[in-house]
């Protein structure tokens, strides 16, 4: 009936915007989890790749001193990567994942470039390692396109600084360096562009999912305003006929006396506003006492206790609510300088409850108990709560009830009824 939305949501650009984190904490947590997991994966891959490359260079170099240099460079870089991997598991890594991203990037580009320059006096650009790093980052961590761009620019700035400091002579023709520069430029551009497009797509998906989630929440709220939560869940899981029989519940009917006459001399907006204020008070009382509101018909209010979740104190809950309804209306009159009164009828017994309708469906009750409660209200006294014999038997030990005597009830004949006066001290 209501579409279930189980779409994973991330708005990745929020990593660079702390204000968005503060506005949507659940999104922040989800995004950080995604990033931390991907950075951990990248660290593991870089550790394995570093070991294999270091072993290769040690094997290729014939001179012992070069083997030692290769081992030192590899050990230093692996130590940086291992530190980044460990940081992902700490609170610092959770707060600043973009910094770990840059550290991982530069430890495989800048650190190697600096080490080779210091140890071997070799300042040629290691573009193979740079391109491998940039492509790996764009594939494994396809987020934070700005950080990808910063990592690439930082690598180039680091190299330019080394070149200026060591001032080496060009070992190859200029065309060789131009070719390498073009490959590096296009590799970096493709990586940044792919990450940017991916983030843009994910942002649109997040916005669409967020709108669907809002619509779902509104539908859920609307459904729960119409149906009890238990019945709403049943209807969503099994959209078929829902009907249950309850052997012991207490039904309440309330009617505002004189409200129909008031409608003839009051403007519609003012009339509806008054009725809404009164029924809102009744709704608050229903929630407070654990009573299920069934419906309103004109200026009549219907509620029940003991369903859909059965409870043994259903009569007591309705009695307390009825007394509070009379009190709440009296306070409302005093506050607004009005003179409304209500008749309340209460009846206890078995009912059948279910959902009816195809479009404007409703949860309703049927049975003699419902009819009796309605008659208790219509044959009652303004400003009082009239209960039947079955309700009286459940309330007599805890409440003050005045016997009204035999009353001729339409469709029921003569019945003994009682007026609920208050709670026994």
């Amino acid at each position: 009936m209501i579409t279930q939305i189980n779409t994973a949501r991330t708005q990745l650009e929020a990593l660079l915007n702390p204000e968005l984190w503060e506005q949507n904490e659940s999104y922040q947590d989800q995004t950080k989890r995604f990033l931390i997991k991907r950075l951990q994966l990248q660290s593991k891959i870089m550790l394995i790749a570093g070991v294999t490359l270091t072993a290769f260079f040690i094997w290729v170099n014939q001179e012992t001193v070069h083997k030692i240099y290769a081992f030192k460079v590899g050990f230093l870089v692996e130590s940086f990567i291992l530190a980044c991997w460990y940081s992902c598991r700490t609170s610092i890594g959770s707060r600043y994942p973009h910094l770990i991203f840059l550290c991982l990037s530069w430890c495989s580009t800048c650190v190697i470039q600096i080490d080779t320059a210091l140890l071997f006096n070799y300042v040629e650009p290691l573009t193979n390692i740079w391109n491998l790093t940039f492509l790996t980052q764009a594939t494994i961590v396809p987020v934070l396109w700005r950080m990808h761009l910063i990592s690439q620019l930082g690598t180039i700035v680091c190299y330019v600084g080394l070149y200026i400091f060591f001032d080496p002579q060009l070992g190859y023709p200029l065309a060789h360096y131009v070719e390498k520069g073009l490959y590096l430029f296009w590799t970096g551009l493709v990586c940044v562009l792919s990450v940017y497009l991916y983030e843009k797509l994910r942002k649109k998906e997040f916005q669409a999912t967020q709108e669907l989630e809002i619509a779902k929440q509104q539908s859920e709220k609307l459904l729960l305003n119409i149906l009890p939560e238990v019945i709403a869940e049943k209807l969503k899981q099994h959209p078929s006929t829902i009907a249950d029989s309850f052997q012991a519940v207490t039904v309440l009917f309330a009617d505002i006396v004189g409200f129909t006459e008031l409608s003839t001399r009051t403007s519609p907006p003012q009339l509806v506003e008054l009725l809404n204020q009164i029924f809102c008070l009744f709704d608050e009382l229903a929630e407070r006492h654990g009573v299920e509101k069934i419906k309103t018909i004109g200026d009549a209010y219907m509620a029940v206790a003991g369903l859909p979740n059965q409870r043994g104190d259903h009569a007591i809950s309705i009695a307390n609510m009825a007394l509070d309804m009379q009190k709440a209306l009296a306070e409302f009159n005093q506050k607004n300088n009005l003179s409304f009164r209500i008749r309340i009828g209460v009846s206890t017994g078995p009912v059948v409850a279910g959902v009816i309708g195809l479009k404007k469906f409703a949860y309703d009750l049927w049975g003699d108990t419902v009819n009796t409660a309605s008659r208790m209200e219509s044959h009652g006294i303004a400003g009082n709560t009239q209960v039947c014999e079955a309700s009286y038997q459940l309330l007599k030990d805890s409440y003050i009830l005045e016997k009204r005597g035999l009353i001729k009830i339409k469709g029921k004949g003569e019945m003994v009824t009682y007026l609920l006066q208050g709670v026994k001290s």
Side-chain angles (χ1 to χ4, degrees):
M1 184 175 211
I2 294 180
T3 304
Q4 300 297 315
I5 304 170
N6 296 316
T7 308
R9 301 171 302 163
T10 55
Q11 188 181 5
L12 303 173
E13 289 185 350
L15 277 171
L16 300 176
N17 190 344
E19 293 181 358
L20 293 180
W21 281 12
E22 296 174 358
Q23 293 173 1
N24 196 336
E25 185 177 0
S26 62
Y27 157 70
Q28 170 196 7
D29 294 339
Q30 187 183 42
T31 304
K32 285 194 293 186
R33 284 196 302 270
F34 171 79
L35 283 170
I36 292 301
K37 287 181 179 179
R38 288 302 181 92
L39 289 172
Q40 288 177 333
L41 176 61
Q42 181 184 352
S43 301
K44 293 175 183 177
I45 294 176
M46 291 177 68
L47 282 170
I48 297 173
V51 170
T52 57
L53 290 173
T54 302
F56 173 77
F57 288 126
I58 293 174
W59 175 66
V60 168
N61 287 296
Q62 300 299 323
E63 299 181 12
T64 304
V65 64
H66 288 167
K67 291 179 181 290
I68 295 174
Y69 284 164
F71 174 78
K72 288 181 177 180
V73 172
F75 179 78
L76 183 61
V77 173
E78 293 291 278
S79 299
F80 272 106
I81 297 174
L82 191 62
C84 291
W85 174 79
Y86 178 77
S87 298
C88 292
R89 308 171 68 89
T90 64
S91 59
I92 296 177
S94 299
R95 293 181 62 184
Y96 306 107
H98 49 292
L99 296 182
I100 297 178
F101 173 87
L102 291 176
C103 289
L104 278 173
S105 174
W106 288 337
C107 74
S108 61
T109 57
C110 298
V111 173
I112 293 178
Q113 197 74 51
I114 294 171
D115 286 345
T116 54
L118 294 175
L119 296 175
F120 301 103
N121 198 31
Y122 182 79
V123 196
E124 290 294 325
L126 304 175
T127 53
N128 289 339
I129 296 178
W130 298 358
N131 289 335
L132 179 61
T133 301
F134 300 156
L135 288 171
T136 302
Q137 289 178 160
T139 304
I140 300 176
V141 191
V143 294
L144 300 172
W145 69 267
R146 295 180 181 87
M147 292 295 104
H148 284 262
L149 181 60
I150 292 173
S151 72
Q152 295 173 17
L153 294 176
T155 300
I156 296 172
V157 169
C158 174
Y159 173 75
V160 171
L162 288 173
Y163 188 86
I164 294 173
F165 180 79
F166 283 90
D167 191 22
Q169 298 297 321
L170 292 178
Y172 298 94
L174 181 61
H176 172 79
Y177 294 99
V178 173
E179 181 184 3
K180 281 195 170 186
L182 286 173
Y183 279 119
L184 179 65
F185 170 77
W186 285 110
T187 300
L189 179 63
V190 170
C191 290
V192 173
L193 182 61
S194 63
V195 173
Y196 169 76
L197 294 176
Y198 178 83
E199 284 188 303
K200 188 176 181 180
L201 177 62
R202 295 294 299 196
K203 184 177 181 179
K204 289 183 178 179
E205 289 180 352
F206 172 78
Q207 291 173 345
T209 310
Q210 199 172 41
E211 292 175 0
L212 289 174
E213 184 64 25
I214 293 173
K216 175 194 171 185
Q217 293 174 358
Q218 291 175 342
S219 298
E220 290 280 356
K221 185 177 180 180
L222 180 61
L223 185 63
L224 293 178
N225 283 338
I226 299 173
L227 303 175
E229 184 176 357
V230 176
I231 302 302
E233 289 298 323
K234 286 184 178 180
L235 193 61
K236 287 190 291 183
Q237 296 174 8
H238 305 287
S240 57
T241 302
I242 295 179
D244 298 294
S245 178
F246 299 90
Q247 295 304 313
V249 303
T250 300
V251 181
L252 175 147
F253 272 92
D255 184 75
I256 303 176
V257 180
F259 197 84
T260 303
E261 297 178 1
L262 180 66
S263 64
T264 60
R265 58 179 187 273
T266 306
S267 65
Q270 185 179 4
L271 185 73
V272 173
E273 177 63 24
L274 284 173
L275 189 62
N276 180 62
Q277 290 181 25
I278 294 172
F279 282 174
C280 284
L281 293 174
F282 294 169
D283 288 346
E284 292 175 0
L285 293 176
E287 186 173 355
R288 183 190 308 171
H289 294 291
V291 172
E292 191 68 45
K293 173 187 174 181
I294 299 300
K295 60 184 176 181
T296 60
I297 308 172
D299 57 351
Y301 190 94
M302 178 183 177
V304 62
L307 63 81
N309 297 318
Q310 299 185 36
R311 52 189 295 183
D313 61 345
H314 49 86
I316 293 176
S317 297
I318 288 293
N320 290 335
M321 180 173 175
L323 293 172
D324 285 347
M325 288 171 71
Q326 299 285 6
K327 181 181 178 181
L329 188 62
E331 294 175 353
F332 179 81
N333 287 334
Q334 184 177 6
K335 182 178 179 181
N336 296 277
N337 195 26
L338 296 171
S339 57
F340 287 127
R341 291 186 298 170
I342 53 173
R343 289 192 307 265
I344 299 178
V346 175
S347 177
T348 300
V351 298
V352 173
V355 178
I356 57 172
L358 180 61
K359 293 184 178 180
K360 295 182 179 181
F361 51 87
Y363 187 66
D364 211 342
L365 309 179
W366 299 273
D368 186 65
T369 302
V370 179
N371 296 333
T372 302
S374 177
R375 295 291 183 264
M376 289 295 100
E377 177 274 312
S378 61
H379 292 73
I381 302 173
N384 284 271
T385 300
Q386 184 167 241
V387 305
C388 68
E389 180 69 29
S391 300
Y392 168 77
Q393 294 299 327
L394 296 176
L395 299 174
K396 62 182 180 180
D397 294 334
S398 303
Y399 294 85
I400 302 172
L401 294 115
E402 177 186 339
K403 185 176 182 180
R404 192 180 177 191
L406 284 173
I407 303 297
K408 189 173 182 179
I409 305 297
K410 181 180 178 181
K412 304 290 292 183
E414 292 186 339
M415 295 181 63
V416 177
T417 64
Y418 302 82
L419 299 178
L420 178 64
Q421 302 295 325
V423 181
K424 289 184 177 179
S425 58

